């Protein structure tokens, strides 16, 4: 049966001192106090949901993530962080996990009210005293060592259980780098580890928007020449200048939709950070039109490798 469209906003508790939010639920769908405690790993500086005490909040609103394992992990931790009887609201686009929310929350022992609005499924409930299957869901979504490459990762991180083929191609194509550089969108540190095999590298800043990737990189990259930062590359949160090199496999999806502006923003950030003569090494899906922005910002641009739908550029400033 198709759920009726609602025009009302689900109103969780409004005691902002005890209200938490995960992600950025659309304000037209869930009312969130401006000073609510932010818990998303994709918001630099946020508190970690994993570190919240049981029953810490009177209410929590969550834009649930799309991946099944990641979503159940996040839902379980969110439910644990709300006091028994407190208000928990979870929502997601119908085609990005929203259609499964009701059953997943019911499997935790929750009785809930579900509605649909603006292509989102919205589930509102009072947190039960007992949550069924919490420890199993948390264990399934927790960080772990991934074989065969032996690095720490976690469900929800980009390409969490395999080496992205574009990143692997860039790592194979890189020359021996030297001096000071940065890895923009560094993930769990695979590419930076390849860069650091060169003794001529003096320093590399690893910068990523995802705290989970940053936490994993801190376990995977223990070289003292590495500095690992949780920051938004596109907002220039981390000051970078005078670099000899930048390596990157920039993202091109935002909220599940392709957004070519993301990769272009990474390219502009790299150009601003490099010294004259410095080099950007970038891998991208072949269909992404980065040549124009590269040509506008760099003196020379060369394609150094093409394979399996990817291309590697070297751009000299």
């Amino acid at each position: 049966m198709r759920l009726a469209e609602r025009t009302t906003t689900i109103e969780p508790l409004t005691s902002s001192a005890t209200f938490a939010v995960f992600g950025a639920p659309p304000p037209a769908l869930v009312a969130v106090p401006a000073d609510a405690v932010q818990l998303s790993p994709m918001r630099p500086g946020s508190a970690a949901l994993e570190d919240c005490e049981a029953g810490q909040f009177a209410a929590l609103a969550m834009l649930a993530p799309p991946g099944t394992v990641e979503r159940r992990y996040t839902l379980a931790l969110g439910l644990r962080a709300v006091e028994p009887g407190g208000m928990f609201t979870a929502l997601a686009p119908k085609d990005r996990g929203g259609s499964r929310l009701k059953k997943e929350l019911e499997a935790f022992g929750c009785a809930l009210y579900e509605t649909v609005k603006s292509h989102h499924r919205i589930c509102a409930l009072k947190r039960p005293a007992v949550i069924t299957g919490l420890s199993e869901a948390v264990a399934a979504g927790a960080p772990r060592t991934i074989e065969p490459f032996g690095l720490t990762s976690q469900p929800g991180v980009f390409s969490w259980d395999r080496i992205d083929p574009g990143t692997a191609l860039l790592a194979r194509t890189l020359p021996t780098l030297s001096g000071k550089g940065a890895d923009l969108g560094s993930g769990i540190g695979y590419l930076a580890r390849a860069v650091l095999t060169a003794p001529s590298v003096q320093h590399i800043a690893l910068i990523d928007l995802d705290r989970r990737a940053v936490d994993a990189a801190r376990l995977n990259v223990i070289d003292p020449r590495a500095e690992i930062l949780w920051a938004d590359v596109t907002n220039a949160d981390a000051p970078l200048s005078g670099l000899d090199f930048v390596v990157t496999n920039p993202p091109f999806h935002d909220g599940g939709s392709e957004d070519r502006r993301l990769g272009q923003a990474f390219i502009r950030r790299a150009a601003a950070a490099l010294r004259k003569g410095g080099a950007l090494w970038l891998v991208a899906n072949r269909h992404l039109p980065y040549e124009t922005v590269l040509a506008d910002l760099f003196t020379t641009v060369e394609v150094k490798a093409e394979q399996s739908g990817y291309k590697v550029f070297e751009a000299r400033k």
Side-chain angles (χ1 to χ4, degrees), residues 123-147:
C123 295
L125 60 99
K126 289 185 177 181
R127 194 271 216 194
V130 177
I131 304 170
T132 304
L134 187 148
S135 59
E136 292 84 354
V138 171
R144 78 286 306 271
T145 300
I146 306 299
E147 301 298 343

Side-chain angles (χ1 to χ4, degrees), residues 216-228:
R218 287 176 175 150
L219 297 174
N220 296 329
V221 185
I222 57 174
D223 193 301
R225 296 171 292 167
E227 178 184 11
I228 303 172

Side-chain angles (χ1 to χ4, degrees), residues 23-271:
L29 303 182
V30 179
V32 176
D35 56 351
V37 178
Q38 176 59 250
L39 301 172
S40 173
M42 307 298 286
R43 301 275 171 142
S46 298
L49 180 57
E50 292 86 345
D51 295 339
C52 293
E53 298 179 4
Q56 181 173 340
F57 301 107
L60 192 152
M62 174 181 293
L63 181 62
T68 301
V69 176
E70 177 194 7
R71 186 173 57 253
R72 291 188 68 251
Y73 171 82
T74 306
L75 290 171
L77 289 175
L79 287 167
R80 186 181 70 180
V82 175
E83 65 186 11
M87 193 69 181
F88 183 82
T89 304
L91 66 156
K94 289 184 288 186
D95 59 351
R96 291 182 60 77
S99 61
R100 303 182 185 91
L101 271 180
K102 184 175 185 290
K103 287 187 177 180
E104 290 171 341
L105 287 166
E106 288 175 337
F108 287 121
C110 300
L112 57 91
Y113 169 77
E114 183 188 41
T115 189
V116 62
K117 184 180 178 183
S118 300
H119 306 289
H120 285 67
R121 292 286 175 92
I122 309 166
C123 295
L125 60 99
K126 289 185 177 181
R127 194 271 216 194
V130 177
I131 304 170
T132 304
L134 187 148
S135 59
E136 292 84 354
V138 171
R144 78 286 306 271
T145 300
I146 306 299
E147 301 298 343
F149 53 89
L151 300 181
T152 297
S153 188
Q154 184 176 2
V157 172
F158 170 69
S159 192
W160 77 274
D161 59 351
R162 65 188 182 94
I163 301 301
D164 173 72
T167 299
L169 176 61
L170 178 55
R172 293 194 303 270
T173 307
L174 285 176
T176 299
L177 299 174
S178 61
K180 298 179 180 180
D183 181 353
L184 305 184
S186 50
I188 65 171
Y190 176 84
L191 186 57
R193 283 167 58 97
V195 170
L196 286 165
T197 59
S200 51
V201 171
Q202 300 170 10
H203 179 270
I204 183 170
L206 286 71
I207 305 174
D208 202 278
L209 180 64
D210 190 334
R211 175 187 50 77
R212 299 164 300 182
V214 168
D215 289 345
R218 287 176 175 150
L219 297 174
N220 296 329
V221 185
I222 57 174
D223 193 301
R225 296 171 292 167
E227 178 184 11
I228 303 172
L229 304 170
W230 181 22
D232 184 349
V233 168
T234 64
N235 286 344
D237 291 337
L240 298 171
S241 63
L243 299 183
D244 300 295
F245 65 86
V246 170
V247 296
T248 186
N249 179 4
F252 61 96
H253 284 94
D254 186 11
S257 301
E258 183 173 305
D259 187 351
R260 300 177 180 186
R261 294 172 298 179
L262 279 173
Q264 293 168 355
F266 270 59
I267 293 168
R268 293 188 182 95
R269 187 78 171 91

